[in-house]
């Protein structure tokens, strides 16, 4: 694992600790934070209290070479992100994540210090979002590293937001800004290519903190869930943006059998995203629509909640739902109407291809 970002000077072989020694070592500092976590690591299964709320469960698997590249992903960030994206899924249901279980596949090219870094990142996210790591499984992998995180969350039945709850006229809202995580990825890929061509070259990442953080250390928007609750707004539908705005809008449309119209000039983007897009010569809107990994929340509200949502900072109203089932359109800044597909937009696509793109 030679990498400029993961140098790991000390090396303890996993075999020195053994599987159980490794588990003990990694989990010894866990302190349970939620009253629903009755039993954590240390038995054949964790025990989670059933209370008067409903249980939300989701899993995400991250595979080296597919979902992450260790040549530019610090292991601590990787651990953090693996937990953060799961918490984001629970937030998208308008719930609270309370426990995670972690499955990890390792090859002996990883020393104990590497796994420890991953766990430090995971524990940091757990602490920040008050989630308990209550169990897992540790196995050897003959190829790369994989990390599977299962999250368990809770929500009152009447609070849960599904993808399919929108009605015609509902306003489509998005938290934060979009496209930055993709710009961070492009930058890291560019520097990786430069490093490969000339290993003496130091990566030029100075001054790009925002887009790099958005890619390497996304934050689930549990604060938005909380702010909406405080404001007395229950979204009629909600999803988190993992694959890009266009794809997520289509998910909401499909689930509610409705259509949607958004306005290009309303899509929130940070100045750093715009600058980077310019230097890569890509249209910033494309980064927002197709980029993904922003982990912002995309949700609909009733028009009667308009004033309430306007009072919350960092939420943009970008469009509304229409009767045209399955059709998502964007009014561009030069006033053209363009059909959105899961890959962004393409006015020339025929309907057969549209269907495929929706899968
Ligand atoms: P079993 O053989 O019954 O599956 P294990 O030996 O795999 O049990 O696990 C023992 C305990 O350690 C369990 O509580 C399990 O959840 C926990 N555990 C195993 N691997 C990990 C890990 N990577 N991270 C956190 N907890 C783990
Ligand atoms: Mg096991």
């Amino acid at each position: 694992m030679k990498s400029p970002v993961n140098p790991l000077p000390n090396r303890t072989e996993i075999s020195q600790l053994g599987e159980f020694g490794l588990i003990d070592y990694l989990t010894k500092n866990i302190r349970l934070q939620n009253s629903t976590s009755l039993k954590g690591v240390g038995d054949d299964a964790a025990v989670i209290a059933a209370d008067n709320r409903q249980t939300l469960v989701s899993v995400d698997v991250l595979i080296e070479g597919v979902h992450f590249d260790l040549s530019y992903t610090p292991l601590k960030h990787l651990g953090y992100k693996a937990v953060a994206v799961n918490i984001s899924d629970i937030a998208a249901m308008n719930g609270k994540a309370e426990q995670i279980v972690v499955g990890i596949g390792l090859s002996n090219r990883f020393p104990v210090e590497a796994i420890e870094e991953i766990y430090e990142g995971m524990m940091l996210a757990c602490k920040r979002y008050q989630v308990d790591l209550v169990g897992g499984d540790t196995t050897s992998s003959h190829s790369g590293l994989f990390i599977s995180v299962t999250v368990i969350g809770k929500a009152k039945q009447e609070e849960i937001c599904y993808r399919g709850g929108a009605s015609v006229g509902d306003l489509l809202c998005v938290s934060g800004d979009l496209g930055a995580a993709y710009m961070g990825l492009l930058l890291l890929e560019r520097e990786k290519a430069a490093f490969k061509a000339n290993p003496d070259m130091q990566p030029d990442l100075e001054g790009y903190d925002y887009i790099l953080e958005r890619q390497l250390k996304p934050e689930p928007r549990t604060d938005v869930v909380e702010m909406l609750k405080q404001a007395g707004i229950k979204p009629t539908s909600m999803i988190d943006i993992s694959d890009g705005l266009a794809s997520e809008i289509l998910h909401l449309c499909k689930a509610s059998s409705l259509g949607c119209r958004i306005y290009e000039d309303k899509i929130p983007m940070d100045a750093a995203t715009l600058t980077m897009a310019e230097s890569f010569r890509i249209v910033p809107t494309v980064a927002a629509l197709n980029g993904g990994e922003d982990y912002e929340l995309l949700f609909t509200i009733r028009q009667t909640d308009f004033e309430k949502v306007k009072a919350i900072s960092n939420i943009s109203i970008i469009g509304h739902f229409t009767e045209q089932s399955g059709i998502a359109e964007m009014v561009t800044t030069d006033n053209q109407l363009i059909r959105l597909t899961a890959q962004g937009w393409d006015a020339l696509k025929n309907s057969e291809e549209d269907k495929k793109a929706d899968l």
Side-chain angles (χ1 to χ4, degrees), residues 19-20 23 26-27 30 40-46 101-104 119 122 133-138:
E19 182 192 337
F20 302 123
I23 296 169
L26 294 173
T27 59
I30 292 178
V41 171
D43 214 307
D44 293 303
V101 287
V102 175
I104 192 156
Y119 266 72
M122 290 198 299
L133 198 166
V134 295
D137 196 26
T138 312

Side-chain angles (χ1 to χ4, degrees), residues 79-106:
Y80 192 95
K81 185 168 176 173
V83 174
V85 302
N86 275 279
I87 297 173
S88 177
D89 278 320
I90 300 297
M93 300 300 290
N94 207 26
K96 158 130 188 29
E98 297 191 342
Q99 288 87 18
I100 53 165
V101 287
V102 175
I104 192 156
L106 307 160

